Amino acid sequence: MTRRIFSAIAVATLVGLGATAQSAADAYTLTPTQLRGSARFVSMGGAFTSLGSDLSCMKQNPAGLGLYRYSDLGFSFDISIRNSKTQSNAASISNNKTPVIFDNFGYAGVIDIKNSSMLRAIQWGVSYNRLSSFERRASAYVNPTNSSLSNYVASFTNGVNSDLLLDAGNNNPYNNGSDWLSILAYNSLMISNSSPGTNTEYVGLYQKGTNGDALYDVHQTGYVDEYNIDIAGNLDDIVYWGLGVGIYDVSFTQESNYSESMAGAYIYDRSTDAFATGNAGFNLYNLKTVTGSGANIKLGLIVRPVDQFRIGFAVHTPTWLHLTHRGYGYVDYNYTPDGSNDTDSDGTDTPDYDYRSRLNTPWRFMVGVSGTIAGQAIISADYERVDYANMKMKQDNGFYGLEDNTLANEDIRNYFKAANIFRIGAEVRLNNSFSVRAGYNWQGSSVKDTANSPSAAVSTSGTEPSYTFYEGANNISLGLGYRYKGWYVDLAWQYTRRKGTWHAYTNFNGIVAPTASVTDTHNNIVISTGFRF
């Protein structure tokens, strides 16, 4: 893990994986869910904990199946116009993507119970839901930087013998437990020994009088999908219960480039074996993929004491995820001492890494209430609490198998907190065929304020030093519904906005690393169709 170095004994069993182990920032990227599902579900802000009778309820409250009177078969897809805008001290940059995503498919069946005084029916269902889509592209430009990634790497590499960092001949430093970003930086001359004869003290490229700028570009793709198998029951049209199993499929890919250009940099000139002032530039490229699967259990209850009012409860166990991490890092560089026509340029890369980890997501607790007005309107509200500080990670320790990732779990407690989610939705039937809907969904931040403070020291994984923390998300939605006999078509528009802060790398030694504010906005058009029979 960047900024963390394991003992030589542990490294012997980890075979260098301590330098690439999953970080708390990785867990944060994979765990939050988005407002996704059927068009009716989305248009009402996802406030379905007490409503049910929608295919998307299987991913939220399985007791919602119990309100089905007829079987249902349907699917949904959306067109998403996504914009990511960064604002730094130098520039405002926008990037757009417009993916078409298959969001939801499901079937709900009803088995009537004829000879029972209380149990009126048993319902069962299977569904596919896309919980999160990682489709995103963002860029940031900072000028001046007032520091350098190379100086940050030098600060945590101090004390490490440079013989353990040199990638030459038969020496492979990536197997001895040294930090992989330290190795990359040393072999690309981003960091150098501070003076001849010393091999444990390092300096970066930025010095007093250096002028530098930085450019960052990141491209993310992937998804978190869930396959649900649920069963529910109807007790005397008053109590509805449900039990569900969710099976997760995770795929995340990130490509990033972080580059710096500096004038008046502190360069090690290999031709003279001495330091000189000059122009320096480097680009750090990272490819990271995370794939895996897991499962969770959902329990739900809906009570309808009178026809016009319902209250619902649901709890989700942690999702027990088994993940595989793959990727590598690469640096290309060029250094030109002042007064010289010779440029030292080359590139160096890490081996491909491939390791396993396990992540337990937080418990989820939700409660909802809903009511009908004159048989023509529905109003529904939900509250959900998710404590991200309770995430747990395990890492592959080679011969010893999966063991607690103590450092990352400590970071989780330091960076993250419980998030509150509020959902409200309304539906009005205009006539027997048409309905209009509206909803609002607010997701509070799961990141502690201290994680974005100047004194924060945030660990990342592999050779990727950059990270982004978000404040939360706001979702506004509108929708239309059409019914003809058993067939239905629903349409929803959803606007999502979330703000955050991008950090080029973590702060160190009282130096604040380059940052940029990030605003992600999504305009989604969701279309659902199906048939009840």
Side-chain angles (χ1 to χ4, degrees), residues 70 141 172 185 188 210 212-213 232 261 322 348 387 392 428 478 500-501:
Y70 303 97
Y141 177 67
N172 182 2
S188 61
T210 299
D213 61 6
S261 297
H322 292 262
T348 182
D387 192 351
K392 295 290 188 297
V428 178
L478 298 171
T501 303

Side-chain angles (χ1 to χ4, degrees), residues 226-227 245-249 293-298 317-322 359-361:
E226 185 179 39
Y227 301 86
V245 175
I247 301 170
Y248 267 49
D249 178 25
S293 59
N296 63 25
I297 298 172
K298 303 177 181 68
T317 69
T319 302
W320 301 284
L321 290 170
H322 292 262
L359 168 64
N360 293 348
T361 70

Side-chain angles (χ1 to χ4, degrees), residues 88-91 140-146 206 210-215 261-263 502 514-516:
S88 69
N89 63 356
Y141 177 67
V142 180
N143 184 19
T145 59
N146 298 319
Y206 200 94
T210 299
N211 294 310
D213 61 6
L215 179 64
S261 297
M262 287 165 277
W502 165 78
T515 62

Side-chain angles (χ1 to χ4, degrees), residues 87-213:
Q87 179 66 60
S88 69
N89 63 356
S92 175
I93 302 176
S94 292
N95 286 272
N96 294 290
K97 291 194 72 175
T98 307
V100 177
I101 300 170
F102 186 68
D103 269 335
N104 167 272
F105 175 81
Y107 172 79
V110 180
I111 303 173
D112 290 323
I113 306 298
K114 302 297 183 182
N115 300 314
S116 174
S117 59
M118 289 189 62
L119 185 60
R120 300 294 180 86
I122 291 178
Q123 293 84 359
W124 63 279
V126 292
S127 69
Y128 156 82
N129 293 279
R130 176 143 296 182
L131 301 183
S132 297
S133 173
F134 298 119
E135 300 292 333
R136 179 176 177 267
R137 183 151 209 159
S139 302
Y141 177 67
V142 180
N143 184 19
T145 59
N146 298 319
S147 182
S148 169
L149 172 63
S150 62
N151 292 62
Y152 163 59
V153 178
S155 72
F156 68 74
T157 309
N158 281 330
V160 178
N161 193 309
S162 58
D163 291 341
L164 298 175
L165 304 177
L166 183 63
D167 187 6
N170 294 324
N171 183 45
N172 182 2
Y174 293 100
N175 282 340
N176 64 28
S178 298
D179 190 281
W180 283 30
L181 188 52
S182 295
I183 299 169
L184 265 185
Y186 184 75
N187 288 281
S188 61
L189 303 182
M190 285 170 55
I191 64 173
S192 304
N193 296 122
S194 57
S195 61
T198 63
N199 63 350
T200 59
E201 300 297 323
Y202 302 89
V203 292
L205 298 167
Y206 200 94
Q207 62 178 344
K208 185 177 181 180
T210 299
N211 294 310
D213 61 6

Side-chain angles (χ1 to χ4, degrees), residues 456-511:
V458 176
S459 298
T460 55
S461 63
T463 57
E464 170 62 83
S466 302
Y467 59 95
T468 302
F469 283 155
Y470 287 94
E471 299 171 5
N474 288 275
N475 301 270
I476 300 171
S477 51
L478 298 171
L480 293 171
Y482 174 74
R483 300 289 185 271
Y484 178 73
K485 295 183 178 180
W487 177 60
Y488 61 88
V489 177
D490 295 314
L491 177 68
W493 166 78
Q494 174 196 5
Y495 174 78
T496 301
R497 185 173 186 265
R498 64 174 183 171
K499 298 185 68 176
T501 303
W502 165 78
H503 302 258
Y505 43 93
T506 195
N507 305 324
F508 68 103
N509 297 340
I511 297 172

